[in-house]
Structures are given as structure tokens and as C-alpha cells.
């Protein structure tokens, strides 16, 4: 089985870790792994140059989480981290004192930056970094060319997403997000293939605006999702009408979407909803319409038990919805959520046959 | 009094620290410093890009030593250093495991690299770094444009100087040194002025080939030294016919110069020796001859008591020479050496008046 996941940082990484735990259970390879092939397409819109090194927050959170090196308490960065370098940089009055640059994490950035400067693509550098961590999944950046999300504040100022997110804790009202480099971005090698040849595509409870939204905006990716034969199932990134962690509500507010499970599902859009169940018709229609209106990308949606009303509203509109406990408390709980997502994908597949 | 020092790393840094101690004693400014203005022109030929950061070994050794931050035991790098980043980089199988990149030192490189990438010159970045360390002297790179010393081995291979020096401990016989970027190098702002307006110019016991030799080869610097009205006095970098530390003998061998106090003095050359004592004549002659033969740069030479025979040989040729204990055991001993050098400069000045 081939599973492709579109992911931001912490939420997507934890979800994928649970997914891999589930797959090792139901599709073991006899060597402690799984026969399933999992590909993760990571958002790189949060990437930033810091002190001359290239920092890729989501790729690294994925790599560390899946590779068993993550700082569990934080959800990002390395276990047993220290900050000698950044403390000394601060003594030079340099840089962003609000952006933690751990010593071990810095080694990752330095290695990546060296390879990038030697001419490797981000995909190639990511693959090399992953040799050390054996994440159990193939990690792909959404694009090899730089895309950087900036936030336009209400006073018109543009700040890098990381500055808005980390320094200001998303507290400055955002007017919109501007993704520098996005229009010319090309999906990284393997990304479109991973979507079109997948058996299942999953959208974990990552930020629907600046994480998954950015991935979907890379030219070609939304179309690939809209037309793939694989069912596409997502997990609502809210529990009880609020983000479990992070500040997705501030991002949703900026684009005029309510922080509710049903509003987010409608924002992603249902694949070919108006077109019945014929996959070919759907595909033709989406290609025709893509200039007018973004094609919907979801076939099914997992909603938390605390958001039953939202779920019922979607079911009333014909959405395939599973209501379950979606809180990723630990790896077993997350594996169970992944199992529900795969089951919903199966159900969607059966319905459309 | 204006004193200008041409310096490599450890030897030059320790000498300059002793010089400053002496000047604080004989020319105190009443606030713990000195009224003398000391400018150090540092070799940058050992500079190297490592993991995407710009490492400037000699500038940093000077800055740390004069700023009281140096690792005394090593003579270079920072006190209380650690190596978490480099250990983690090694786990990525990246880079030069033989080149220690300490965590605190790395902060210096990262700060400098960030400023260089922002468009500052190396001079400007050095000045900013020095704000933190207050070295008590003005540190100038010999040039703002990159110059990198490579070593041509006997089999024709070219390796970066740091690789030859640090990795191979200068044990691979060198055929010659190739300074990439030297021909187009321009002395950094302030360097030529510091030579032409100095009251005294000192050549500390730095490596005469790859440290001071590289500085002298920057277009304009040798001429400025040959023509400055200031006496130029050097300290022989050998004691008992051997380098005190480092592997200068391997460098001297490559250029066919014996590791003796007299051979090194002759290699530097005596200023206008053939031309008597008229400084104007000397200057004219040097300008005329500079294409044919490098102009001599020394007026006087400090030689260790263990090298009396070498000293006598130079005295026989008319060189002003002081024989003294030149071993830089500690700061007071080094201050005494600096005092001898300044005294010899005075003597030279009196003689040429």
C-alpha cells in the first residue's frame, strides 16, 4: 500500500508517527517496519535563512519525530538540546533572540546548508539528512525552490511567517499571507507521482492555511489531488472548535474561515461534489474549472467527538465523515486515529466503485 | 605613538598582547589602557569556508587573545569551549572532522558570515566582532577580498592550507604555496595608512612564509613597508634554530629558506641596504626596482640568545640586531621582548637621522 501524507510540522509529524505505528501493526515487513510505503510531502513555506543557514522547520520536525530524535516536550527540535551557540550569538547582538537555534539542531542546518551550497537540491539534502535518522517514510519537500510565507499585517507591514508566529505568537492581526516564490515553484521530484500513484492520500491535522494550504498552492499539487484515483481523507485540526496547539485560528481568521471542523472541511472543498461519483468526469471538470475556482481536495473528514454538530452539518451535505476521538495523546492513540482515517478511505473507495 | 603590527595567529597575537601590556606601562592613558595606538594587520590567507561559514583563524586568534577570551592552553579558540555542533555534524558524515569547530567559536563565524552576506566587508565585520571583545588594538584584515593559501604538494595536488597544516600537520612535503585571489587583492581600508603613518612597524615572530609572507604579498603592502618613514623591526620566529611552535620550518623548506634567524632576516631583506641611509633615495630605488626584486622590509631584528652565531653573522653584514631572550613564556616576558623591539626601533631611528 502506498500512503501519501501532506504535512506541516508538529501535528503532521505526530500523525505520521502514529500512522507508521499502525502500519507496522497491520502490514508488518517482518523486520520491525512495514511493507506500506509512506511518503510525506512537507510544507517548506516556513523555511528561513537564519545566520546564513537554511532552517526548514517542518522537514526537521518530521525527520526528528519520525526518527526518534525529537524533543517530546516541545514537539520540535532535538532531545537533549543545548543553546551555547545561540547564547554566544546573542552576545554579539546578532539575529533573532526569539528564534531558538539549538546546538544540535544547528548541526542539521549547517549540514543542509553546506549541501545546498554545493549544489544539491533541497530534496537531495533532505534525503541525505534522513540517512542518519531512518524516519521510516520518504520525506519530500513540497518544492526544491524556496517559497517563503510572509504575513501582511493590518498596517501593511510584511513580516516573515516565523517572526509573526514565533516572535509575536500570531497575536498581530494578519491581513493576508504572501508566499514569496510560490507562483514559480515547481513541485519537487516525486511529489506529483506520490499523489497520483498513491492508494490513499491523508491530510493530517496540520495548519490548513499556512501548512497544508501552502502545499496545495504549489502549482500542480491541487490538481494532482483533485484528480488522483486515491481517496483523500483529512483529519480536522480542531477539537471543540479550537486548535489543539498552535495558533491556526489566527491564520483561519486572516482568510475568513471559522475555526470549526465543518468550515475547514468546506474550505478544503469536497472533490467533485457537484459531479457525482464518476472519477473521470470529476477529473475533466476539475481541469476545466481550475482557473475559475480551486478544485476541492477532500473525499472524507475525521471530526472529533466534541464537534458532533459540525460533523452532522457536513453529513447533511453528503460528506463522508467519521466522528472519533482525534486528540493525539500518544502514539497508540494516534495510531488509532490513523486507522480510522484509512478505514474512511476504504469506505470512500467502496462507495465510488 | 602609533605602532603597526603585521600578524599571523598565535605568535603574533601573543606578541601583540605583550606589546599592549608594555605600552600600558610606559604610555598609560590613566584608564587602564595606553595612549599608544596599535593597529594589527592580520593575515587572512588561512581563511576558509567551512560548513557555509567563513572562518578567519588569525583574526579570531588575535581577537580572542587580545580580548581575554582565548583558550590559553591551545593558543587559539575560545576558553570553556565545547563541541556539540561539530560532534553532531560528524554524525551526518559531514565536513572536516580534523578541523575543530567549537560551539562558541562557531557563533563568531555565524555572526561574521551573516554580516558578510548582508554586504558588510570583512573589515566592517571584524570591527563589529571586536566591539564585544575590546582587544585594545585596531584589528584590520590585510584585505577585504578573499585570499586563500593553497599548498601544492610534490605530487602536484593542491590542498587548502588548513588541510595541509591542521590535518597533515605540515608533514606532506610542499612544493610551493599558491595564494588564490592574491594578485587581485586590495589592501583593506586603513592598512596602507597604518604602515605609512606609523611611528614603528613590528613584525612579530609569526610564520614568515604563510602569515607575514602572505601579508607582504598583498599588492601595495611591501612597497608601503619599504618606503614608510617608520623603522621596521622584526622578531626572529626561531629559537635555537627551530620554530618555538607551529611548523614554520616546513613552510621555509618549501621556499628554500633555512630555519635560522639569519636566513629568515635575509629572506625578509634589509630596507635599502645597498643605498645608505637616505630615506628618499631608498624610496626612489625601491620604486624603481620593485618589478625586479622584492624590496627589503626590515630595519632591525631581534634574535634569541640561543642563536648568537646567526646574530653575529647579521651584525657582520651591518644589520642592527638585538640579542635577547625571545621566548614568549608569559605576558611579562613578552612585554619585555616588545620593549626590546621598540628600543631597537628607536636606535634605528637615531642612526638614520
Amino acid at each position: 500500500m502506498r500512503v501519501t501524507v501532506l504535512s506541516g510540522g508538529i501535528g503532521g509529524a505526530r500523525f505520521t508517527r502514529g500512522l507508521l505505528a499502525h502500519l507496522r501493526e497491520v502490514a508488518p515487513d517482518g523486520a520491525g517496519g512495514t511493507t506500506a510505503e509512506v511518503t510525506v510531502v512537507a510544507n517548506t513555506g516556513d523555511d528561513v535563512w537564519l545566520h546564513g543557514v537554511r532552517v526548514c522547520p517542518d522537514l526537521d520536525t518530521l525527520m526528528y519525530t519520525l526518527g526518534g530524535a525529537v524533543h517530546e516536550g516541545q514537539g520540535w527540535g532535538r532531545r537533549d538540546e543545548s543553546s551555547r551557540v545561540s547564547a554566544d550569538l546573542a552576545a554579539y547582538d546578532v539575529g533573532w533572540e526569539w528564534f531558538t537555534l539549538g546546538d544540535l539542531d544547528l548541526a542539521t542546518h549547517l549540514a543542509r546548508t553546506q549541501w545546498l551550497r554545493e549544489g544539491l537540491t533541497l530534496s537531495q539534502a533532505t534525503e541525505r539528512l534522513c540517512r542518519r535518522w531512518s524516519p521510516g517514510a520518504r520525506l519530500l519537500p513540497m518544492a526544491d525552490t524556496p517559497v517563503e510565507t510572509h504575513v501582511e499585517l493590518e498596517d501593511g507591514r510584511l513580516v516573515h511567517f516565523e517572526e509573526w508566529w514565533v516572535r509575536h505568537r500570531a497575536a498581530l492581526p494578519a491581513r493576508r499571507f504572501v508566499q514569496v516564490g510560490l507562483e514559480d515553484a515547481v513541485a519537487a521530484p516525486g511529489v506529483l507521482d506520490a499523489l497520483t500513484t498513491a492508494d490513499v492520500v491523508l491530510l493530517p491535522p496540520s495548519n490548513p492555511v499556512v501548512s497544508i494550504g501552502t502545499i496545495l498552492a504549489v502549482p500542480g499539487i491541487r490538481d494532482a489531488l483533485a484528480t488522483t484515483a486515491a481517496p483523500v481523507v483529512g483529519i480536522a485540526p480542531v477539537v471543540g472548535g479550537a486548535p489543539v496547539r498552535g495558533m491556526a485560528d489566527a491564520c483561519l481568521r486572516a482568510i475568513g474561515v471559522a475555526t470549526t471542523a465543518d468550515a475547514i472541511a468546506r474550505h478544503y472543498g469536497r472533490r467533485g461534489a457537484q459531479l457525482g461519483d464518476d472519477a473521470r468526469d470529476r477529473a475533466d471538470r476539475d481541469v476545466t474549472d481550475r482557473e475559475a475556482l480551486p478544485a476541492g481536495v477532500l473525499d472524507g473528514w475525521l471530526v472529533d467527538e466534541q464537534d458532533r454538530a459540525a460533523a452532522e452539518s457536513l453529513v447533511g451535505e453528503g460528506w463522508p465523515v467519521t466522528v472519533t476521538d482525534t486528540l493525539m495523546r500518544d502514539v497508540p492513540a494516534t495510531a488509532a486515529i490513523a486507522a480510522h482515517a484509512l478505514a474512511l478511505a476504504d469506505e470512500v473507495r467502496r462507495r465510488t466503485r
Side-chain angles (χ1 to χ4, degrees), chain A:
Chain A
M1 181 165 63
R2 308 182 67 165
V3 184
T4 298
V5 181
L6 305 193
S7 177
I10 302 175
R14 288 186 171 165
F15 175 80
T16 307
R17 182 169 60 179
L19 170 69
L20 286 166
H22 171 69
L23 291 170
R24 284 193 299 267
E25 193 89 4
V26 298
D29 68 356
T34 170
T35 57
E37 291 170 31
V38 177
T39 299
V40 183
V41 177
N43 168 47
T44 59
D46 304 1
D47 294 6
V48 62
W49 283 103
L50 187 64
H51 307 305
V53 298
R54 188 68 174 164
V55 180
C56 301
D58 289 354
L59 278 169
D60 289 346
T61 296
L62 279 157
M63 184 171 75
Y64 296 154
T65 302
L66 302 182
V70 79
H71 186 299
E72 281 295 337
Q74 286 176 170
W76 52 270
R78 296 273 297 275
R79 258 190 327 206
D80 307 318
E81 185 56 291
S82 51
S83 56
R84 293 209 87 198
V85 177
S86 57
D88 207 73
L89 270 169
Y92 281 118
D93 210 8
V94 160
W96 301 359
E97 71 286 349
W98 45 265
F99 193 96
T100 307
L101 197 72
D103 297 330
L104 302 179
D105 204 20
L106 181 58
T108 300
H109 309 325
L110 283 168
R112 172 171 42 229
T113 304
Q114 173 158 326
W115 293 329
L116 292 176
R117 290 198 196 286
E118 285 172 4
L120 267 68
T121 62
L122 181 58
S123 302
Q124 291 167 330
T126 302
E127 193 266 328
R128 278 211 196 167
L129 290 171
C130 284
R131 282 183 207 163
R132 174 175 174 193
W133 299 112
S134 305
R138 187 170 56 135
L139 293 195
L140 300 179
M142 65 186 196
D144 279 337
T145 50
V147 173
E148 288 198 1
T149 301
H150 288 72
V151 184
E152 187 180 312
L153 303 179
E154 288 197 336
D155 60 8
R157 267 190 308 146
L158 274 177
V159 298
H160 190 285
F161 175 74
E162 291 294 341
E163 181 166 1
W164 182 71
W165 188 254
V166 179
R167 182 181 196 175
H168 300 294
R169 312 295 303 156
L172 302 178
R175 193 189 280 164
R176 64 185 184 116
F177 299 97
V178 180
Q179 274 114 344
V180 179
L182 191 59
E183 282 178 24
D184 300 326
V186 177
V191 167
L192 297 183
D193 263 10
L195 296 171
T196 53
T197 67
D199 296 304
V200 185
V201 177
L202 298 176
L203 271 51
S206 288
N207 189 309
V209 185
V210 293
S211 298
I212 295 180
T214 303
I215 302 174
L216 291 177
V218 172
I221 290 189
R222 182 177 278 272
D223 284 347
L225 261 189
T227 58
T228 180
V232 182
V233 168
I235 294 91
V238 292
V239 170
V244 176
R245 63 171 293 154
M247 298 147 293
D249 43 348
C251 300
L252 288 162
R253 200 175 304 126
I255 63 164
V257 174
T259 309
T260 61
D262 52 332
I264 295 167
R266 290 188 199 102
H267 170 65
Y268 278 132
R270 196 163 162 218
R271 294 216 302 176
Q274 313 97 314
L275 297 168
D277 288 334
D278 186 306
R280 283 194 69 83
D281 280 1
R282 279 215 309 269
D284 291 349
R285 170 63 182 268
D286 288 333
V287 169
T288 315
D289 273 1
R290 74 182 165 191
E291 296 297 322
L293 199 74
V297 297
L298 279 179
D299 289 309
W301 196 229
L302 253 66
V303 175
D304 192 77
E305 288 160 353
Q306 296 184 41
D307 300 295
R308 239 171 233 289
E312 280 161 18
S313 155
L314 291 171
V315 170
E317 295 167 21
W319 284 73
V321 170
T322 297
V323 176
T324 183
D325 178 0
T326 66
L327 200 59
M328 300 189 288
R329 271 178 206 88
D330 51 27
V331 176
T334 310
I337 299 166
H340 277 294
L342 293 176
L344 182 56
D346 275 342
E347 196 187 312
V348 167
R349 194 182 290 111
R350 277 194 304 276
R351 284 202 208 176
T352 52
R353 252 181 208 143

